[in-house]
Amino acid sequence: ATERTFSIIKPDATRRNLTGAVTKMLEDAGLRVVASRRIHMTREQAEGFYAVHKERPFFNDLVSFMISGPVVVQVLEGENAVAKNREVMGATNPANAEEGTIRKTHAESIEANSVHGSDSAENAAIEIAYFFKPEEIVG
Ligand code: CMP
């Protein structure tokens, strides 16, 4: 079924001018960008977005990294968009990511791993609503 997922192009990628290269890989995977905005997240925004990770040892570093530069928040649409996006992103740790994936191609480390993607349709809906009003999404 046609589905939506939420994606972030992270600061390590925007810093290296990879917004287009990453977006092309998403599009080539069959995903359509139906909303997109470049933002510099506040600490509060990043902490709220990653609240599920707040007890993890990497939480503070992750939040600092995510506010270290601009990000591009996007809504992606397509057949099985959540799974398709996870496939083209590759494993969280680029050392474990498959050849041809965004993280294998571009990520610097497990933290500076170029992209975020929702891990389920349920979380996609929550994450999309965190950054976008319904009228900002144009399918
Ligand atoms: P993301 O999909 O955005 O979700 C949580 C992020 O935490 C993850 O990608 C990584 O960028 C970051 N992270 C840093 N260290 C770790 C770790 N040890 N395990 C999982 N995620 C980590």
Side-chain angles (χ1 to χ4, degrees):
T2 298
E3 205 172 60
R4 286 178 176 172
T5 193
F6 176 73
S7 173
I8 305 178
I9 303 177
K10 295 189 180 185
D12 67 288
T14 62
R15 189 179 293 128
R16 287 175 290 149
N17 207 22
L18 294 171
T19 295
V22 170
T23 301
K24 171 109 169 67
M25 291 175 84
L26 296 168
E27 290 177 339
D28 286 349
L31 296 161
R32 181 176 295 270
V33 180
V34 295
S36 185
R37 190 187 323 119
R38 180 169 163 115
I39 61 172
H40 198 138
M41 279 196 226
T42 64
R43 182 170 292 277
E44 293 64 36
Q45 221 174 358
E47 285 175 350
F49 180 74
Y50 280 123
V52 304
H53 294 304
K54 68 175 180 295
E55 306 305 328
R56 306 285 283 274
F58 57 80
F59 179 73
N60 285 320
D61 285 347
L62 171 62
V63 168
S64 296
F65 165 66
M66 290 299 289
I67 66 173
S68 68
V71 301
V72 179
V73 291
Q74 297 178 318
V75 179
L76 307 177
E77 188 176 271
E79 271 295 302
N80 302 315
V82 173
K84 215 171 246 182
N85 183 44
R86 293 183 69 73
E87 193 178 329
V88 68
M89 284 195 298
T92 303
N93 186 345
N96 302 328
E98 299 283 338
E99 286 297 332
T101 62
I102 293 168
R103 285 167 171 161
K104 179 70 174 188
T105 306
H106 293 300
E108 296 180 325
S109 67
I110 192 170
E111 176 178 273
N113 64 354
S114 300
V115 277
H116 165 83
S118 307
D119 63 6
S120 67
E122 292 70 24
N123 283 332
I126 293 166
E127 293 176 358
I128 289 168
Y130 194 78
F131 287 102
F132 290 100
K133 298 178 189 142
E135 63 268 28
E136 294 175 319
I137 305 167
V138 182

